[in-house]
Amino acid sequence: MPYDPSAFPPFAVTVDLVVLTVRRHSLCALAVRRGEPPFQGRWALPGGFVRADENLAQAAARELAEETGLRVHDPAVPAQDNGAHLEQLATYGDPERDPRMRVVSVAHLALAPDLPAPRAGGDASNARWAPVGELLREDGRGRDPEPVAPLAFDHAQILSDGVERARSKIEYSSLATAFCPPEFTVGELRRVYEAVWGVALDPRNFHRKVTGTPGFLVPTGGTTTRQGGRPAQLFRAGGATLLNPPMLRPEV
């Protein structure tokens, strides 16, 4: 039988963004307060509908730029100023995930160094960086005494998947450097691992591991005192994309 497009119900495709950064030694995600139904007034992940003239990567990069002002950089090279690592996370297509219509979302994970306060736009009435533990705690409380409502749609699941992706990938890849500025200290990198994993790491053991992993870090020849105390050596991300041996998460 000939293919008949009208025999299939139409549905929309969106991109949702799990944008993670480290702020004040805490792993934070970008959250926007919805200004329109459905879930008006609830916090959600940033994102939007894919336009007819763009592919998924273009849609994700556009939404990232609109929500954060960040541009996407080549993951094979160290992050530049105002750049972010962006990768596809997973696809979510439960028929009931959006009460408006059938919507399939292709979620993306974006990682960047300490980012400025976000600007609300589009149908978002507010935007903020929130600790991921606060956003994923369904009966938790935020900075205000009011209870924190669950994220809109299935965004709690998407955020949880994105956080686990980040936690897993920094074990065996150099992705942790995406949370750092172009030049950073071993102490700053260690605090990234501590924030993402939610554990305290031994400074000396960590220093030995990261500086002894081939291709992970490259000394820049410079030092900094921005952490206070004695000058600390500055590094940049090396050319390795996979770490051998891997940086395994401590058992908690």
Side-chain angles (χ1 to χ4, degrees):
M1 294 181 61
Y3 170 67
D4 181 10
S6 66
F8 300 91
F11 64 90
V13 178
T14 63
V15 289
D16 286 310
L17 295 171
V18 178
V19 186
L20 300 178
T21 193
V22 175
R23 291 171 61 86
R24 294 185 290 274
H25 310 310
S26 178
L27 181 63
C28 295
L30 181 61
V32 296
R33 191 186 293 276
R34 291 188 54 78
E36 300 176 0
F39 305 107
Q40 186 172 7
R42 293 263 290 276
W43 291 100
L45 298 176
F49 289 92
V50 178
R51 295 172 179 170
D53 61 347
E54 61 186 1
N55 60 35
L56 294 173
Q58 292 169 337
R62 173 181 54 78
E63 287 290 341
L64 181 66
E66 290 175 357
E67 298 285 356
T68 68
L70 291 170
R71 65 177 183 273
V72 179
H73 75 85
D74 185 344
V77 300
Q80 303 298 313
D81 291 343
N82 203 34
H85 169 89
L86 182 68
E87 65 178 62
Q88 195 171 123
L89 174 62
T91 303
Y92 300 84
D94 188 291
E96 306 299 325
R97 63 178 304 274
D98 191 319
R100 294 169 295 186
M101 62 182 296
R102 181 71 192 275
V103 176
V104 173
S105 178
V106 182
H108 288 69
L109 174 65
L111 309 176
D114 185 22
L115 297 174
R119 303 180 305 273
D123 63 353
S125 63
N126 194 8
R128 69 181 178 112
W129 293 106
V132 296
E134 176 184 315
L135 292 174
L136 294 175
R137 194 181 309 127
E138 293 187 358
D139 59 347
R141 294 179 182 273
R143 295 168 296 181
D144 301 321
E146 294 298 320
V148 177
L151 292 173
F153 305 102
D154 53 358
H155 288 185
Q157 182 62 57
I158 297 175
L159 176 59
S160 179
D161 292 346
V163 170
E164 182 54 35
R165 168 76 67 86
R167 287 172 174 166
S168 298
K169 287 199 71 170
I170 66 172
E171 288 189 287
Y172 61 85
S173 78
S174 58
L175 190 61
T177 59
F179 287 104
C180 297
E183 295 186 356
F184 51 88
T185 68
V186 170
E188 289 169 337
L189 182 63
R190 173 172 51 83
R191 281 186 279 276
V192 166
Y193 275 90
E194 291 178 332
V196 176
W197 284 345
V199 298
L201 300 173
D202 179 79
R204 291 186 179 181
N205 189 39
F206 181 84
H207 191 285
R208 176 181 58 80
K209 286 183 177 180
V210 297
T211 57
T213 301
F216 191 8
L217 304 182
V218 176
T220 66
T223 60
T224 181
T225 57
R226 60 180 175 237
Q227 300 176 27
R230 299 172 57 184
Q233 188 176 9
L234 286 169
F235 294 84
R236 61 175 174 82
T241 55
L242 297 178
L243 303 183
N244 187 19
M247 298 284 296
L248 298 180
R249 265 181 283 186
E251 294 184 4
V252 294

